[in-house]
Amino acid sequence: MTTFPNGSFTGDSTSIHRLVGEVQRHEVPAYRCSPSLANRALSVSLAEDVGRLDPSGPGSVFATDPRRAAGDPVPFLPKSRLWTRDEQRIAVERFARAVADGELTSGPAIGEFEDALAEFLAVPHVVATSSGTDALVIALRAVGVSHGDEVIMPANSFAATENAVWACGATPVLVDIDPVRHTLDPALIETAITPRTRAILPVHLYGRFAEVPGLAEIARRHGLGLVEDACQAIGVTGVGQHSDAAALSFNPYKNFGLTGKAGAVVTRDAEIGASARRFAYHGFDPERKNVKEDAFGLNAKIDNSTAAVALGLLPRLTLNNYRRAFLAKRYIDALEELAADGTAILPAFAPDHAWHLFGVQIAVGREARDEIQARMRTIDAVETDLYYPVLTHRQQTPLHRKHFAHVALPWTERVHSRVLHLPLHNNLSLPEQDRVIEALHAAFRATAH
């Protein structure tokens, strides 16, 4: 993100975190907003009507209650409401224009989107890809991960993280998490390094920034690559600033979602950026059609039609991240009583978080967690989720049993047995959130007796 003096708004997670507090206190200063395309919708409110950022204000930017009756279910992630009606209209118009122009796979929107994303993230090199998984594979390849190598990573992530390592012909080496951040613990990394280790792959779990500066120091000391799985963390301060490369995802369910699978590799390193661009498209020289510079590569560029949609939706990125951060703070404030008496462990409201998911830990463990989840669903019609139900080392394929049968990750397993994810998406309404909060309190009271 572009850096301005005091009184500026850059649109990263630090500035959004600050803004949430200012709106709650009704003390929003006059901001000069970064001109990044991703900030456009939020900058309009900052410049013209700050009151819209308050849920109680007229014309609020927050979603209105979509339910037709008070007892209608509160879904965890309603597919029909991933976008607002206006966002749906923009996506359809942008896609239709690409169809009419016949520019579906290649076209000018790709470069324009990459440039706009690079400006927002303050990184010089962005390669937009056909998925977040492809972005991970390409980034790992670009830092030299290949057949027979090892990559250090956590076990509490989506399967794409480990699959990207397997796809490079390498083997995941699982390391436990920090008990507070729930991301890779730098203090445990060096004991896992072997002569075969080629890279470290931290995951910004649920949108919380991993301890990348500490990992970067270890990587430099041992001559290892460092690739961030930032697929849940677009807009988080520091992404791509301390590592060799970071991978983003624009899956429809992410904070910034598109019409299908999409992602990007972001890097400050020109050589890694060039390698990623070649590998994303068959190993071709970007300047010469169908002329190979590398022996092989993937067919993994973003489609022009998808990039066209991305350009239409990008102006709302920081506005949606603001909504999620405000709703996360609202959860934390409303559930403070459960945290105070030790029955629940809440995430910290931190400036290095994109709030892709909101996880509550049920302190007494798995059995109570499952009982609470069932009660919220059946009694209160509130849907919650355990987003990654099986940890990497607990998958029961022959490959996983061979490599991870004797792996023990005490903190990873402890947190996983307690976590419950509450509804949190761009268009969650406050009445829906109130229903979730009331249902969780009621479930804790019921299970305490």
Side-chain angles (χ1 to χ4, degrees):
M1 297 86 183
T2 306
T3 301
F4 288 114
N6 291 337
S8 65
F9 184 84
T10 58
D12 63 356
S13 62
T14 300
S15 60
I16 287 174
H17 178 271
R18 183 175 68 245
L19 181 62
V20 168
E22 291 164 345
V23 170
Q24 286 188 319
R25 296 189 303 272
H26 305 287
E27 297 176 352
V28 181
Y31 275 119
R32 185 163 75 95
C33 200
S34 159
S36 167
L37 182 62
N39 289 336
R40 187 164 294 172
L42 187 52
S43 68
V44 170
S45 291
L46 285 171
E48 299 177 3
D49 188 1
V50 171
R52 296 182 66 237
L53 299 177
D54 189 328
S56 62
S60 167
V61 299
F62 288 85
T64 55
D65 187 4
R67 295 176 295 113
R68 284 175 278 181
D72 283 354
V74 177
F76 179 74
L77 190 61
K79 294 180 181 179
S80 63
R81 290 168 49 211
L82 295 176
W83 294 334
T84 63
R85 292 288 180 87
D86 195 42
E87 287 169 328
Q88 292 174 20
R89 176 188 58 77
I90 291 169
V92 169
E93 289 177 355
R94 291 285 180 141
F95 189 85
R97 193 180 309 166
V99 171
D101 292 340
E103 292 176 327
L104 298 175
T105 55
S106 298
I110 296 174
E112 292 175 31
F113 174 55
E114 291 174 338
D115 290 344
L117 197 57
E119 179 188 26
F120 175 59
L121 299 173
V123 293
H125 308 287
V126 171
V127 179
T129 63
S130 52
S131 73
T133 307
D134 283 335
L136 283 167
V137 174
I138 291 164
L140 289 169
R141 292 280 309 185
V143 301
V145 175
S146 188
H147 182 78
D149 291 335
E150 292 178 347
V151 176
I152 295 171
M153 57 166 278
N156 58 339
S157 183
F158 182 57
T161 311
E162 61 167 296
N163 284 343
V165 176
W166 297 121
C168 292
T171 300
V173 173
L174 305 178
V175 168
D176 212 353
I177 59 172
D178 176 280
V180 176
R181 303 182 73 87
H182 304 162
T183 56
L184 269 183
D185 188 344
L188 303 177
I189 295 296
E190 290 188 279
T191 59
I193 294 174
T194 75
R196 294 173 57 196
T197 306
R198 181 56 64 94
I200 304 171
L201 179 57
V203 177
H204 303 318
L205 189 71
Y206 310 152
R208 181 78 188 271
F209 194 60
E211 188 56 55
V212 177
L215 295 171
E217 182 181 343
I218 295 168
R220 282 193 297 270
R221 193 158 62 243
H222 292 271
L224 304 176
L226 180 61
V227 173
E228 301 169 61
D229 182 339
C231 289
Q232 299 179 347
I234 189 166
V236 172
T237 307
V239 165
Q241 300 301 321
H242 308 280
S243 63
D244 295 304
L248 303 175
S249 171
F250 313 131
N251 178 290
Y253 304 117
K254 295 295 196 296
N255 294 34
F256 178 65
L258 302 179
T259 47
K261 308 286 187 182
V265 177
V266 304
T267 179
R268 296 168 300 134
D269 188 294
E271 186 175 341
I272 289 174
S275 177
R277 190 169 299 282
R278 292 193 303 269
F279 194 74
Y281 195 50
H282 296 295
F284 290 150
D285 179 347
E287 304 300 324
R288 295 183 295 169
K289 183 176 179 179
N290 291 7
V291 175
K292 282 195 165 190
E293 274 196 313
D294 294 338
F296 76 103
L298 303 176
N299 184 16
K301 285 173 53 180
I302 195 172
D303 286 332
N304 187 73
S305 55
T306 305
V309 172
L311 282 169
L313 297 178
L314 191 62
R316 295 166 182 251
L317 193 162
T318 56
L319 175 62
N320 283 329
N321 275 353
Y322 167 78
R323 285 176 176 145
R324 297 176 91 106
F326 196 102
L327 292 169
K329 182 62 163 59
R330 199 166 181 268
Y331 266 138
I332 292 167
D333 291 344
L335 300 174
E336 185 178 6
E337 180 184 332
L338 298 176
D341 66 19
T343 57
I345 302 169
L346 305 178
F349 187 64
D352 57 357
H353 209 313
W355 300 106
H356 174 59
L357 294 172
F358 189 93
V360 174
Q361 285 188 67
I362 312 304
V364 289
R366 184 190 303 272
E367 188 173 322
R369 189 268 312 274
D370 294 347
E371 185 179 348
I372 286 170
Q373 182 176 31
R375 190 190 189 284
M376 292 177 72
R377 182 180 65 251
T378 57
I379 304 298
D380 300 297
V382 170
E383 184 182 11
T384 60
D385 198 14
L386 175 56
Y387 214 64
Y388 305 132
V390 184
L391 296 167
T392 295
H393 64 306
R394 297 303 191 202
Q395 297 285 357
Q396 292 303 307
T397 73
L399 185 65
H400 287 78
R401 287 195 294 269
K402 173 185 175 182
H403 287 281
F404 308 130
H406 303 294
V407 170
L409 304 168
W411 275 111
T412 302
E413 293 158 15
R414 178 184 176 91
V415 171
H416 183 263
S417 70
R418 297 177 171 194
V419 72
L420 183 66
H421 295 108
L422 307 184
L424 180 62
H425 54 86
N426 293 348
N427 294 305
L428 179 71
S429 72
L430 269 66
E432 286 179 302
Q433 188 180 34
D434 288 339
R435 285 266 308 279
V436 178
I437 292 164
E438 292 164 8
L440 187 60
H441 276 290
F444 269 105
R445 288 194 298 269
T447 55
H449 297 115

